[in-house]
Amino acid sequence: MRITRVQATWCHVPIPPERQHVSDFGRVGSFDSVIIRVETDTGLTGWGEAKAGVGSAAACAGLAAIVNLDYAPLLVGQDPRDISRLWDVMYNTPREGYAVSLGHALPQLGRRGLSISAIAGVDVALWDILGKSLGVPVWRLLGGRRAERMPAYASGGWADEAGIGAQLKGYCDRAGFRAVKMRVGVMDGSPARSAARVRAARRALGPEIGLAADAHGTWTVAEAKAFCRMVEDCDLMWFEEPVTADDKAGQAEVRRSSAVPISSGESEFTRHDFRELAELRAADVLQPDLAIAGGITEGMRIGAIASAFNLRLAPHLWSGAPAFAAGLHLAASQSAGFILEYSLGHNPMLHELVEEEFPVADGMVEVPDRPGLGITVREEFLQRYARTA
Ligand SMILES: [Mg+2]
């Protein structure tokens, strides 16, 4: 089997005003992602996703160009099933020969950032092709699924102190979610205001529903420590991205300062970033975004780090259907996997880009049996929202 064509498309889907939410990212007016199509000479096509931002909206022209102009020429003519080697080719070219034969990395400048997201998107598509070629789901290739259904948490929670309880309870009522996540951080104005919203949420939810808080990395170490002190009796499932991903030592200091579990990883790239998080004892839960950190291949390595350091793995799944499916297959097969993120913001890339759905029932998502990622991209949707500049 040979790759005949690699095509990355920036898909830009406007969000109707009544469905937009406001966070520290501002009012979110679109959902953007790069959807990658890899064609082969057998007629099999694989789909992947690469992201230029962790939230919904992002400018993706540069990311699509990296795939189309830099990586596609390296990939055409290659066997798409040689995923490990092709990952190294994209990461190490022009020294890919040394990297593959000597067994260690020799990357150029692009060790982080969009060049890794671009690798991620291609990698996900290659796993999709491998699964389809063998007629098995990706989780089967990763060692099998550990359960037929996985718990998911509802990810949203932007309402103010007066409304947050009803907003989060609404998520639970809609699909039986047993865990929810709310946003805190700089948008609240102070750690005390965030803590008041968390206390209101816990009062409304009662003691049985899992509750996480996500600061999007917007606080200083001192503010994050103050917040942890104020919510220590709220039994948080985790406190996510307390400080910027640039300050891993500061995040470790926050973690040491209280009993609140700390999570992070959606802004990290490659196993090397996650090894640092683990070695610094900076997190209890690792949250790679497979459309950013390096795809399913790198996700397996990150999962091994999580397990070896006695941490847990909860992929960041605020994404379109290809990356959601990739994270689902990874979490279902990894020993450190335990829960899925399910975005409750308006997400046309999850619900309209593909024909299949990932329904939530009793707070659980089925781990699908369909070959590959288990998705069928609606190409007319992709073309309708394709953006070139
Ligand atoms: Mg987050």
Side-chain angles (χ1 to χ4, degrees), residues 249-337:
Q251 185 175 307
E253 187 182 332
V254 174
R255 181 172 178 266
R256 276 196 304 274
S257 75
S258 91
V260 177
I262 300 296
S263 71
S264 74
E266 66 187 66
S267 300
E268 308 289 357
F269 296 90
T270 77
R271 60 196 182 274
H272 308 293
D273 277 353
F274 286 89
R275 185 204 61 218
E276 275 184 60
L277 280 175
E279 284 179 343
L280 289 167
R281 314 298 292 180
D284 298 274
V285 179
L286 302 185
Q287 300 173 300
D289 186 316
L290 300 193
I292 293 173
I296 293 169
T297 300
E298 205 67 350
M300 291 170 67
R301 297 163 177 161
I302 293 162
I305 290 171
S307 182
F309 280 83
N310 198 23
L311 309 175
R312 294 194 291 172
L313 181 75
H316 179 247
L317 297 178
W318 192 278
S319 58
F324 180 89
L328 167 60
H329 286 271
L330 180 78
S333 61
Q334 284 284 318
S335 58

Side-chain angles (χ1 to χ4, degrees), residues 105-120:
L106 297 87
Q108 286 209 80
L109 177 65
R111 296 182 299 111
R112 301 290 185 274
L114 294 186
S115 62
I116 303 299
S117 294
I119 294 175

Side-chain angles (χ1 to χ4, degrees), residues 18-366:
E18 68 277 11
R19 305 293 304 273
Q20 296 175 359
H21 67 264
V22 178
S23 76
D24 49 291
F25 291 112
R27 177 167 284 280
V28 177
S30 66
F31 208 111
D32 297 88
S33 216
V34 171
I35 303 301
I36 295 165
R37 175 194 176 105
V38 176
E39 296 173 24
T40 66
D41 59 2
T42 63
L44 279 180
T45 297
W47 294 95
E49 178 175 356
K51 287 163 61 180
V54 290
S56 306
C60 298
L63 176 54
I66 293 173
V67 176
N68 290 330
L69 303 178
D70 296 339
Y71 292 162
L74 303 176
L75 296 163
V76 170
Q78 304 263 9
D79 189 327
R81 298 165 297 187
D82 292 339
I83 302 174
S84 169
R85 184 175 62 80
L86 294 180
W87 206 104
D88 278 358
V89 166
M90 289 184 280
Y91 191 58
N92 296 291
T93 291
R95 297 181 292 180
E96 77 283 7
Y98 294 113
V100 170
S101 64
L102 300 179
H104 69 96
L106 297 87
Q108 286 209 80
L109 177 65
R111 296 182 299 111
R112 301 290 185 274
L114 294 186
S115 62
I116 303 299
S117 294
I119 294 175
V122 171
D123 179 87
V124 169
L126 298 181
W127 281 99
D128 189 31
I129 289 171
L130 180 60
K132 286 171 173 169
S133 74
L134 297 169
V136 299
V138 167
W139 55 256
R140 177 73 72 201
L141 307 171
L142 306 181
R145 64 182 166 186
R146 296 158 60 81
E148 291 182 2
R149 302 193 309 159
M150 281 196 73
Y153 68 90
S155 187
W158 302 275
D160 63 12
E161 184 181 347
I164 188 68
Q167 186 176 48
L168 297 175
K169 279 185 73 166
Y171 301 159
C172 298
D173 294 343
R174 255 181 19 214
F177 285 106
R178 303 292 297 160
V180 296
K181 186 166 87 185
M182 61 182 286
R183 268 59 192 181
V184 297
V186 72
M187 68 175 186
D188 285 333
S190 73
R193 282 208 190 130
S194 284
R197 289 178 59 241
V198 170
R199 278 196 295 276
R202 177 49 85 199
R203 267 197 310 274
L205 293 169
E208 301 297 328
I209 300 291
L211 174 62
D214 185 350
H216 291 172
T218 56
W219 271 332
T220 65
V221 170
E223 287 167 331
K225 286 160 76 172
F227 172 77
C228 286
R229 249 191 336 271
M230 288 184 254
V231 299
E232 210 146 31
D233 61 347
C234 290
D235 192 24
L236 285 186
M237 191 164 66
W238 66 65
F239 174 31
E240 180 168 327
E241 289 201 294
V243 300
T244 172
D246 286 335
D247 186 9
K248 293 183 178 61
Q251 185 175 307
E253 187 182 332
V254 174
R255 181 172 178 266
R256 276 196 304 274
S257 75
S258 91
V260 177
I262 300 296
S263 71
S264 74
E266 66 187 66
S267 300
E268 308 289 357
F269 296 90
T270 77
R271 60 196 182 274
H272 308 293
D273 277 353
F274 286 89
R275 185 204 61 218
E276 275 184 60
L277 280 175
E279 284 179 343
L280 289 167
R281 314 298 292 180
D284 298 274
V285 179
L286 302 185
Q287 300 173 300
D289 186 316
L290 300 193
I292 293 173
I296 293 169
T297 300
E298 205 67 350
M300 291 170 67
R301 297 163 177 161
I302 293 162
I305 290 171
S307 182
F309 280 83
N310 198 23
L311 309 175
R312 294 194 291 172
L313 181 75
H316 179 247
L317 297 178
W318 192 278
S319 58
F324 180 89
L328 167 60
H329 286 271
L330 180 78
S333 61
Q334 284 284 318
S335 58
F338 71 111
I339 199 165
L340 304 170
E341 179 172 26
Y342 199 94
S343 63
L344 270 283
H346 183 60
N347 188 344
M349 297 289 284
L350 178 61
H351 300 293
E352 296 170 47
L353 173 69
V354 302
E355 291 175 12
E356 296 80 4
E357 291 186 41
F358 297 93
V360 185
D362 303 324
M364 308 282 282
V365 175
E366 260 183 48

